[in-house]
Amino acid sequence: MSKKRILITGGAGFLGSHLCERFLKEGYYVLAMDNLITGNIKNIEHLMHRSDFEYYHSDVSNYVHVSGDLDYILHFASPASPIDYLQMPIQTLKVGSLGTHNCLGLARAKNARILVASTSEVYGDPIVHPQPETYWGNVNPIGPRGVYDEAKRFQEAITMAYHTYHKLETRIIRIFNTYGPRMRLDDGRALPAFLGQALRGQDITVFGDGSQTRSFCYVDDLVEGIYRLLLSDYPHPVNIGNPDEISIKDFAEEIIKLTGTDQKIVYKPLPKDDPMQRKPDILRAKEILGWEPTVSRAEGLKVTYEYFKKQVEQEEKDYPIK
Ligand code: UDP
């Protein structure tokens, strides 16, 4: 029997590269697409020699062409950290809107099932806590995060429209903060920022008073949730994230303890529209997918720490401080 073929946009990114590995392991033929504006070819270098893997250097926001059949599409291309989407607001808006439209068109043409990567950012600065999928969110459309949040909200809307109007097989995942190896050290997010700072002997920068909360999910748990959702028959949005909530200040202290450094915490201004609280309600994922996270923050952080330690050591070799 011939292999199922899956296209993964953003395939050279943090999540995309883990998805490529997972679907290869499951026996799929994987086509990874990326334009490398935030992705890194190094993330998939080890897959390039395989006969069941193909890389397309392409921008999904332009017309996408893929030759041959496709059974599945995972649309994961997008800048995803606040710093990235502030620096690339137009690309962020385009990949969530035009990029999604192109992927949906491709899915229709190939008669493929598509899963789009949405985000907890559709809830904005939420006033309902924890956030169930039925909550409509509290988003500032013209604020700095609006370029990401609204692109993803549009993505959900157009995906549902293709589902109801064209009867396309669609899936929508709302991803909460996720971490693990292959995150970029410099992507500006709290976890790589804190680990990078601790490893380089710098102060830990906590924004605001650090009372804002987040809930961090280890990448393997997320990938399992994506896998199950894709193969399910559920077309409505599903939250995937770890409900273990922690304040950013406590998180910074946890990182200091983990790295065994004695860095100081320094407080910086809170970015505009930074959500005060975030924690997924995962009842739907439990009921529909039988999914819940299995990796604790302590376990996940240990693996991630080792990854970043190697990255910082490499950086020090490549750019020695004279
Ligand atoms: N944050 C921080 N110091 C940093 C980077 C981020 O205190 O160096 C805070 C940020 O203001 C937010 C939280 O950590 O409240 C998580 O931010 P992140 O950029 O990881 O992603 P977000 O969850 O806001 O999308």
Side-chain angles (χ1 to χ4, degrees):
M1 212 180 70
S2 65
K3 283 175 177 284
K4 295 259 184 226
R5 290 164 57 88
I6 185 166
L7 170 70
I8 303 177
T9 75
F14 161 48
L15 297 181
S17 62
H18 285 276
L19 288 166
C20 288
E21 283 178 346
R22 173 65 188 262
F23 281 89
L24 286 168
K25 212 165 102 194
E26 300 290 344
Y28 288 65
Y29 186 98
V30 173
L31 303 99
M33 183 178 283
D34 212 296
N35 66 356
L36 302 181
I37 61 168
T38 57
N40 188 339
I41 204 75
K42 281 202 175 112
N43 290 337
I44 49 170
E45 227 164 32
H46 60 297
L47 307 175
M48 289 296 196
H49 69 281
R50 295 180 61 133
S51 58
D52 50 1
F53 182 79
E54 235 174 283
Y55 171 68
Y56 281 70
H57 185 88
S58 180
D59 185 341
V60 68
S61 299
N62 300 327
Y63 180 78
V64 280
H65 173 74
V66 171
S67 45
D69 293 338
L70 278 181
D71 300 287
Y72 299 103
I73 298 174
L74 299 180
H75 182 34
F76 275 69
S78 179
S81 87
I83 284 201
D84 287 345
Y85 52 75
L86 289 181
Q87 278 168 0
M88 293 175 263
I90 312 292
Q91 280 120 315
T92 303
L93 279 159
K94 282 174 77 177
V95 74
S97 54
L98 307 180
T100 303
H101 187 212
N102 288 337
C103 286
L104 289 163
L106 185 65
R108 258 192 99 202
K110 303 279 186 188
N111 199 16
R113 181 183 297 179
I114 178 168
L115 181 150
V116 297
S118 187
T119 165
S120 55
E121 284 284 321
V122 300
Y123 302 122
D125 190 2
I127 44 184
V128 169
H129 192 72
Q131 295 79 53
E133 290 86 349
T134 46
Y135 176 48
W136 292 352
N138 178 36
V139 171
N140 174 3
I142 55 163
R145 301 172 83 106
V147 295
Y148 186 63
D149 302 7
E150 295 296 4
K152 292 293 189 179
R153 288 167 70 96
F154 173 85
Q155 175 185 67
E156 291 197 7
I158 193 169
T159 300
M160 275 323 277
Y162 267 71
H163 176 70
T164 46
Y165 187 74
H166 287 311
K167 308 285 174 243
L168 191 69
E169 285 251 38
T170 58
R171 308 287 177 265
I172 299 171
I173 178 176
R174 290 187 182 151
I175 301 172
F176 283 66
N177 294 63
T178 300
Y179 69 97
R182 304 207 193 111
M183 273 186 115
R184 270 178 23 237
L185 250 178
D186 62 348
D187 87 353
R189 281 189 271 206
L191 192 142
F194 293 172
L195 276 174
Q197 287 160 345
L199 283 161
R200 294 181 188 122
Q202 299 163 346
D203 294 338
I204 310 286
T205 53
V206 166
F207 298 161
D209 64 3
S211 63
Q212 70 273 30
T213 67
R214 293 294 185 274
S215 312
F216 298 96
C217 182
Y218 188 63
V219 63
D220 289 357
D221 280 331
L222 180 87
V223 166
E224 181 61 31
I226 293 165
Y227 185 72
R228 290 191 194 192
L229 179 60
L230 180 68
L231 299 187
S232 78
D233 57 5
Y234 193 73
H236 298 286
V238 178
N239 287 340
I240 297 285
N242 191 322
D244 186 5
E245 185 184 14
I246 185 170
S247 77
I248 291 300
K249 180 171 181 290
D250 289 349
F251 185 56
E253 278 161 5
E254 204 170 274
I255 299 272
I256 292 172
K257 217 181 268 162
L258 169 82
T259 53
T261 52
D262 53 2
Q263 298 320 124
K264 277 201 323 288
I265 292 181
V266 293
Y267 292 89
K268 302 262 166 147
L270 190 69
K272 186 168 172 0
D273 296 341
D274 197 284
M276 267 320 288
Q277 49 183 2
R278 188 184 283 157
K279 169 183 172 163
D281 177 331
I282 58 164
L283 194 63
R284 190 176 279 184
K286 274 187 188 159
E287 282 178 0
I288 289 168
L289 311 175
W291 177 91
E292 62 184 320
T294 59
V295 182
S296 70
R297 204 167 50 242
E299 291 170 285
L301 276 180
K302 227 160 81 191
V303 181
T304 312
Y305 168 66
E306 290 306 325
Y307 173 81
F308 280 126
K309 202 165 138 202
K310 282 205 192 96
Q311 297 274 303
V312 171
E313 283 165 4
Q314 190 59 44
E315 191 182 86
E316 282 165 358
K317 251 190 237 155
D318 293 346
Y319 308 101
I321 301 165
K322 300 248 162 53

